[in-house]
């Protein structure tokens, strides 16, 4: 089919949609207030998967469930503060409408007490009460994993009795809504990116002196490194000259193990294919300037029993106990730098070792990802991984429960995932170059909070950046030539100033709750700019500023935004950048009719994306140039 025929077909399809729309959707304006549903049947917000799994069985957190006038799902919030904070966000009522019904946990009649963490414990769930009829205790000792918590009671006497025992004040619903809520959100993640970089710089600087310790022992020809390590005084360096050393080493004192580095020759430690090659078991150790090979091929703790009910313990046994070229256990302030590794298992494994630095490391993993393991694996070990290069293996970098880890300025090639985040909030992924991963470039799983993903360049993967969780900041990334560029699965998050070019699908919006800010992004050359999974209408603009969509045209008074909205999920709009006759088609009356219906008929709102203020020009010209795109290509002047 040629472009002109495709244009005619799309126009006819639009006519059919307009003609049939009124008969497809009904609005039941006279329905009564709905009854509460099971909380498990709501779309939940306000609790990470990690926190949810960690809660004792008898903890009964305060909850809210809301039936919105413009949203087809019941939304459940863990914590009244989670609801009030979301309610206060810009555009919340536009997306969700007003509450048709709002219920809160009823603690009246329950055997209620607070545990040592301040979490409410009961002898069983007490049911629901309409929020406007409830009495709330605020400023008490009660807490949720997110912080301070208000508790709700159907009976005022019960609320007063709780306040007498645990402190606080009894107030009504209106007073709860007026209380300011302070919480770390996506803007927090955005505003502290520079601080995270600065803190990472400080950590790198703090371990840098480990490289310059005086040499106390040089490994003699024919001698062993282990004997030299055992003989070296604390705070000194064991120097390893060029050569190959077939041994495995344990460092249990604060020393530096140093080879000549890439510019000085090759000092290679070969573990003989059995176990980990270098094991660090003390604080303030450095391993620098070496080549390491001959790791074993054990990827898990083979002696550990599998317990189906202990998910986290199983992950640790499966991911945190394999062989490694360099293994760091229960040791803080460790530096691994200028090390080249060939491995059948892990390159660098770090467990229970905070404030570690891995930098300028090169890891060659298995050619087939399923046969290898992690380039760097950190478990409960926040630190810095930077300026390193990874080839092959399973995950170039995998991190588990390492809140605040910084992964920056790395090159990642040919694994399963470039970066794989599990149960790690407040992480920073910045300035990484990711190519040709088997499944995804940057993968965030298990619903963490406040992940910052900025200034990365991800290409030639099935999924460029795949997010989850909440309150994340995803900005200034280049996503090009992927099957799927980006997902907006992380809720209450900011996605801004990304360049999304020549992907099969630019962005997939899959989060059920339409709570994200998507603004200032450039969509160019994608087969499909954006698509949605299930969910409600999403507005992708903020403060009268939207995104740049190749193919969106229209006159402009201010020279910044177009006068006509753009809907990338609309059958006409989504094809504008691929057909001739774009200006004529965008001005067709049938398109205005569809846009009007989408704004008024609930059935046509579902699953749609609308940019009310599309941009005339693609922002971030330096990123466009990095992606091979002329930054002056399509402007308002050129389009009109």
């Amino acid at each position: 089919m040629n472009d002109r025929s495709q244009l005619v077909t799309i126009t006819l399809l639009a006519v059919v949609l307009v003609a049939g729309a009124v008969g497809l959707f009904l609005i039941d304006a006279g329905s009564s207030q709905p009854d509460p549903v099971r909380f498990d049947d709501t779309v939940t917000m306000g609790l990470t998967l990690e926190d949810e799994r960690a809660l004792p069985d008898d903890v009964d957190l305060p909850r809210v469930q809301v039936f919105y006038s413009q949203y087809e799902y019941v939304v459940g919030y863990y914590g009244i503060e989670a609801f009030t904070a979301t309610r206060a966000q810009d555009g919340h009522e536009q997306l969700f409408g007003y509450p048709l019904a709002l219920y809160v946990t009823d603690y009246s009649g329950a055997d209620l007490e607070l545990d040592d963490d301040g979490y409410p414990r009961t002898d069983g769930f007490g049911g629901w009460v309409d929020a406007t009829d409830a009495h709330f205790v605020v400023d008490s000792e009660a807490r949720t994993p997110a912080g301070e918590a208000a508790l709700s009671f159907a009976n005022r006497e019960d609320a007063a009795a709780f306040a007498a025992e645990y402190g606080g004040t009894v107030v009504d619903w209106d007073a709860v809504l007026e209380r300011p809520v302070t919480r770390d959100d996506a803007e927090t993640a955005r505003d502290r990116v520079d601080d995270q970089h600065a803190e990472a710089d400080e950590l790198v600087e703090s371990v840098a002196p480990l490289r310059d310790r005086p040499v106390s022992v040089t490994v003699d020809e024919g001698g062993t490194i282990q004997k030299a390590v055992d003989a070296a005084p604390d705070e000194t360096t064991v120097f390893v000259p060029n050569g190959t050393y077939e041994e495995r080493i344990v460092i249990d004192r604060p020393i530096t193990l140093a080879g000549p580095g890439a510019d000085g020759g090759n000092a290679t430690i070969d573990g003989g294919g059995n176990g980990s090659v270098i094991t660090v078991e003390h604080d303030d150790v450095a391993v620098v300037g070496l080549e390491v090979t001959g790791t074993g091929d054990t990827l898990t703790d083979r002696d550990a029993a599998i317990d189906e009910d202990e998910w986290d313990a199983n992950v640790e046994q499966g991911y945190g106990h394999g062989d490694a070229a360099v293994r760091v256990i229960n040791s803080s302030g460790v530096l691994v730098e200028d090390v080249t590794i060939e491995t059948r298992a892990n390159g660098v494994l770090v467990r229970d070792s905070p404030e570690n630095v891995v930098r300028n490391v090169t890891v060659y993993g298995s050619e087939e990802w399923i046969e290898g393991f992690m380039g760097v694996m950190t478990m409960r070990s926040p630190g810095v991984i930077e300026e390193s290069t990874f080839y092959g293996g399973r995950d170039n970098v995998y991190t588990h429960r390492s809140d605040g880890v910084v992964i920056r300025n790395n090159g990642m090639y040919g694994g399963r995932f470039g970066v794989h985040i599990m149960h790690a909030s407040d992480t920073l992924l910045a300035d990484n170059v990711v190519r040709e991963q088997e499944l995804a470039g940057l993968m965030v799983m298990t619903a963490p909070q406040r992940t910052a993903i900025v200034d990365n360049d991800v290409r030639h993967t099935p999924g460029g950046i795949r997010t989850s969780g909440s309150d994340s900041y995803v900005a200034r990334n280049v996503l090009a030539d992927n099957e799927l560029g980006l997902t907006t699965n992380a809720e209450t998050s900011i996605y801004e100033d990304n360049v999304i070019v020549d992907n099969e699908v630019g962005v997939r919006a899959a989060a059920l709750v339409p709570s994200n800010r998507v603004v200032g992004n450039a969509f160019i050359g994608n087969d499909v700019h954006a698509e949605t999974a299930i969910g409600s209408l999403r507005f992708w603009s903020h403060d009268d500023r939207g995104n740049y969509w190749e193919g969106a045209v229209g006159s402009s008074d201010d020279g910044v935004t177009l006068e006509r909205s753009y809907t990338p999920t609309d059958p006409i709009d989504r094809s504008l950048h691929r057909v001739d006759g774009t200006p004529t088609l965008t001005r067709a009356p049938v398109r205005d009719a569809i846009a009007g219906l989408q704004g008024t008929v609930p059935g046509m709102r579902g699953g749609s994306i609308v940019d009310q203020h599309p941009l005339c020009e693609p922002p971030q010209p330096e990123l466009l140039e990095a992606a091979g795109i002329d930054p002056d290509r399509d402007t308002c002047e050129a389009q009109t």
Side-chain angles (χ1 to χ4, degrees):
M1 181 181 295
N2 60 34
D3 289 342
R4 185 174 300 276
S5 298
Q6 184 178 359
L7 180 60
V8 172
T9 301
I10 292 171
T11 305
L12 290 175
L13 174 61
V15 174
V16 172
L17 287 172
V18 171
V22 176
L24 290 176
F25 307 108
L26 299 174
I27 302 175
D28 185 5
S31 61
S32 60
Q33 176 172 314
D35 294 327
V37 300
R38 291 190 327 129
F39 195 73
D40 288 345
D41 294 334
T42 68
V43 179
T44 59
M45 301 179 64
L47 193 67
T48 68
L49 183 59
E50 177 182 7
D51 287 334
E52 183 177 357
R53 283 176 167 158
L55 289 174
D57 292 338
D58 61 350
V59 166
D60 187 9
L61 295 180
R63 286 164 282 179
V64 181
Q65 59 171 276
V66 187
F67 296 75
Y68 288 102
S69 61
Q70 293 180 182
Y71 190 63
E72 58 187 304
Y73 305 101
V74 183
V75 182
Y77 298 88
Y78 281 103
I80 292 167
E81 292 75 16
F83 164 72
T84 56
T86 303
R87 171 182 175 270
Q89 290 179 333
D90 292 341
H92 179 75
E93 186 167 324
Q94 180 186 35
L95 289 168
F96 290 87
Y98 57 88
L100 298 171
L102 196 154
Y103 299 98
V104 294
T105 301
D106 180 13
Y107 287 107
S108 284
D111 185 10
L112 174 64
E113 63 180 7
L114 302 182
D115 68 10
D116 293 340
D117 295 316
Y119 299 164
R121 298 194 306 191
T122 69
D123 57 352
F125 179 61
W128 301 95
V129 59
D130 190 303
T132 58
D133 297 329
H135 308 274
F136 300 84
V137 179
V138 298
D139 299 325
S140 73
E141 299 173 16
R143 296 289 184 271
T144 71
E148 180 179 321
L151 300 191
S152 46
F153 301 81
N155 186 290
R156 183 178 179 84
E157 287 72 22
D158 293 332
F162 179 84
E165 183 173 358
Y166 294 104
T169 305
V170 180
V171 300
D172 62 12
W173 180 238
D174 289 337
V176 169
L177 295 180
E178 292 172 0
R179 287 171 58 84
V181 177
T182 301
R183 61 189 293 265
D184 290 339
D185 56 12
E187 293 187 356
T188 304
R190 177 195 63 197
D191 295 342
R192 70 181 179 198
V193 165
D194 289 343
D195 289 340
Q196 285 184 283
H197 276 300
E199 290 166 5
D201 291 342
E202 290 176 4
L203 178 56
V204 172
E205 184 177 354
S206 73
V207 299
L210 302 182
R211 298 190 301 254
D212 302 322
R213 286 168 166 162
V215 175
S216 62
V217 180
T218 297
V219 179
D220 295 331
E221 185 175 352
T224 68
I225 298 172
Q226 187 65 62
K227 288 182 179 179
V229 167
D230 294 341
D234 292 352
E235 309 294 340
T236 66
T237 293
V238 172
F239 180 73
V240 183
N242 290 339
T244 298
Y245 303 81
E246 297 180 355
E247 57 181 304
R248 294 187 295 156
I249 302 157
V250 176
I251 304 175
D252 59 0
R253 63 185 62 197
I255 66 167
T256 296
L257 183 66
D263 296 333
N266 297 302
T268 302
I269 305 175
D270 186 340
N274 184 22
S276 295
V277 183
I278 301 173
T279 297
V280 175
E281 297 179 346
H282 203 284
D283 298 346
D284 303 323
V285 168
V287 178
V288 299
L290 294 164
E291 294 187 1
V292 185
T293 188
T295 62
D297 59 3
T298 299
L299 307 181
T300 64
D301 185 347
R302 294 174 177 173
D303 296 327
I306 299 298
D307 186 342
E308 294 181 359
D309 295 327
E310 295 293 334
W311 179 88
D312 196 55
N314 293 336
V315 169
E316 177 167 344
Q317 301 305 324
Y319 283 77
H321 289 264
D323 294 334
V326 180
R327 184 174 64 168
V328 182
I329 308 297
N330 296 312
S331 305
S332 64
V334 172
L335 170 65
V336 181
E337 182 177 19
D338 189 19
V339 176
T340 300
I341 294 168
E342 293 184 8
T343 180
R344 298 186 293 173
N346 294 293
V348 180
L349 184 154
V350 186
R351 189 173 72 241
D352 296 309
S353 301
E355 298 184 337
N356 58 81
V357 174
V358 178
R359 66 188 312 269
N360 193 25
V361 167
T362 302
V363 180
Y364 296 93
S366 59
E367 292 186 6
E368 298 294 329
W369 70 263
I370 200 168
E371 296 176 358
F373 228 46
M374 314 307 179
V376 174
M377 198 293 304
T378 70
M379 181 164 288
R380 296 184 298 274
S381 301
V384 177
I385 303 166
E386 67 174 15
E387 299 179 14
S388 295
T389 308
F390 304 93
Y391 300 97
R394 184 165 303 201
D395 300 344
N396 297 153
V397 175
Y398 173 91
T399 181
H400 185 90
R401 295 194 186 279
S402 297
D403 293 350
V405 67
V406 174
I407 305 168
R408 62 183 185 179
N409 298 106
N410 301 288
M412 303 173 174
Y413 306 92
R416 178 183 66 166
F417 302 134
V419 175
H420 187 182
I421 299 294
M422 293 280 284
H423 288 301
S425 294
D426 301 300
T427 60
L428 173 61
L429 312 181
D431 299 287
N432 299 290
V433 173
V434 186
R435 298 286 187 271
E436 297 177 346
Q437 301 295 323
E438 187 72 20
L439 297 182
L442 306 177
M443 170 65 80
V444 181
M445 298 178 66
T446 62
Q449 295 177 325
R450 297 173 301 276
T451 305
I453 306 175
V454 297
D455 301 310
N456 301 282
D457 189 312
V458 185
R459 310 189 191 207
H460 305 295
T461 74
I465 297 177
R466 305 192 69 127
T467 63
S468 75
S470 62
D471 304 309
S472 295
Y473 180 61
V474 182
R476 301 185 304 278
N477 301 286
V478 173
L479 299 158
D481 300 303
N482 304 287
E483 293 179 22
L484 170 63
L486 172 68
T487 71
T488 60
N489 292 38
E491 299 169 343
T492 56
S493 296
I494 297 173
Y495 301 83
E496 66 181 9
D497 298 331
N498 299 286
V499 170
I500 303 167
V501 174
D502 293 335
N503 305 279
E504 292 182 19
V505 176
V507 171
R508 177 175 297 139
L512 283 177
V513 179
S515 57
N516 293 317
R517 183 191 305 174
V518 183
V519 64
N521 303 287
F523 295 86
I524 298 172
N526 306 290
D527 292 346
V528 175
H529 285 328
E531 66 179 20
T532 66
I534 57 176
S536 187
L537 175 69
R538 299 162 174 90
F539 289 108
W540 280 7
S541 55
H542 181 71
D543 288 342
D544 296 333
R545 181 173 184 261
N547 304 273
Y548 175 80
W549 307 89
E550 181 188 29
V553 299
S555 61
S556 171
D557 293 330
D558 60 9
V560 177
T561 61
L562 304 177
E563 70 171 10
R564 186 185 298 275
S565 65
Y566 180 83
T567 304
T569 51
D570 175 85
I572 296 178
D573 276 0
R574 72 186 300 168
S575 302
L576 294 180
H577 61 292
R578 300 198 305 270
V579 299
D580 293 334
T582 293
T584 300
L585 181 57
T586 58
R587 293 173 173 83
V590 66
R591 184 186 180 283
D592 290 336
I594 289 180
L597 281 170
Q598 287 175 328
T600 58
V601 181
M604 292 194 75
R605 292 165 59 93
S608 296
I609 298 169
V610 176
D611 187 337
Q612 297 170 297
H613 305 284
L615 299 177
C616 285
E617 301 180 4
Q620 304 295 331
E622 71 282 0
L623 293 184
L624 288 173
E625 290 182 320
I629 300 297
D630 179 4
D632 299 322
R633 50 179 294 153
D634 288 328
T635 64
C636 279
E637 291 76 11
Q639 293 169 354
T640 60

